[in-house]
Amino acid sequence: MTTPQDQILFACVEHCCYFKLCGELRYTNATGMDDLVERLFSAKLQCKQLVVDLNEASFMDSTYIGLLASLARYCQQQQLPKPTLFSTQPQVNELLFSLCLDQAFDIVQQPTHHAVDMNSVQAQPYSDQQKGLMILHAHEALIALNEKNKTEFQSVVDVLKQQLA
């Protein structure tokens, strides 16, 4: 059972990594997810398949969408199967499809019934610089998905790069 503060739950079982994201997913509470993505890329987690459950997510900002795009990019780079994403929330689905995440994920619009024991992922104590880099990298992953996203978010990436320089 998830409690209100459990926004990110994670488990890795037999090389399958499960992410369950709940509530309002904003850049202000994304450091735990970013840390998980970084651990995945640095091979500290041994994942051969990824599953993301967004059935309890009520809102996602572009930083979180970019973190999802990073997960998809990880799978592509490792030549793993496309990650599976479960979402029954109409507003979240609209956002996922409008940003073309259906090209990077197998999106399943139904509830999940997995009985995986998941651990709550805590926010990481990021500095302002680390938070800025997290937001930048998330948006870079988002624009790497396709031209439409590049048109939409390139200015955000440019401003972030200037601010972080």
Side-chain angles (χ1 to χ4, degrees), residues 2-7 22-23:
T2 60
T3 60
Q5 70 271 21
D6 289 340
Q7 292 203 295
C22 310

Side-chain angles (χ1 to χ4, degrees), residues 8 23 25 28-29 33 38 88 91-92 136 140 150 161:
I8 307 166
L25 304 167
T28 52
N29 60 22
M33 182 67 181
E38 288 301 315
T88 54
Q91 322 82 300
V92 171
L136 173 63
E140 286 175 335
K150 187 172 183 164
K161 282 182 176 175

Side-chain angles (χ1 to χ4, degrees), residues 41 52 54 93 136 162:
F41 274 101
V52 180
L54 296 176
N93 289 345
L136 173 63
Q162 282 178 336

Side-chain angles (χ1 to χ4, degrees), residues 9-13 16-20 49 51-52 114 116 118:
L9 297 167
F10 177 78
C12 194
V13 180
C16 183
C17 291
Y18 297 92
F19 297 81
K20 183 174 179 73
Q49 187 177 8
V51 176
V52 180
H114 52 76
V116 177
M118 301 182 91

Side-chain angles (χ1 to χ4, degrees), residues 93-116:
N93 289 345
E94 192 177 318
L95 185 62
L96 295 173
F97 283 100
S98 74
L99 295 173
C100 304
L101 261 74
D102 55 315
Q103 294 171 4
F105 285 86
D106 286 326
I107 298 179
V108 181
Q109 297 183 53
Q110 54 186 284
T112 52
H113 302 290
H114 52 76
V116 177

Side-chain angles (χ1 to χ4, degrees), residues 20-82:
K20 183 174 179 73
L21 308 177
C22 310
E24 290 197 6
L25 304 167
R26 300 178 186 275
Y27 75 94
T28 52
N29 60 22
T31 57
M33 182 67 181
D34 183 61
D35 183 62
L36 266 180
V37 171
E38 288 301 315
R39 287 191 299 177
L40 196 60
F41 274 101
S42 66
K44 290 189 176 104
L45 300 170
Q46 296 299 310
C47 289
K48 303 269 184 259
Q49 187 177 8
L50 277 97
V51 176
V52 180
D53 181 350
L54 296 176
N55 285 322
E56 292 180 36
S58 56
F59 173 84
M60 290 180 82
D61 70 8
S62 54
T63 297
Y64 251 97
I65 297 277
L67 289 170
L68 291 179
S70 295
L71 289 177
R73 196 169 72 202
Y74 170 81
C75 289
Q76 288 170 339
Q77 288 174 354
Q78 300 298 315
Q79 297 171 341
L80 299 174
K82 236 188 225 192

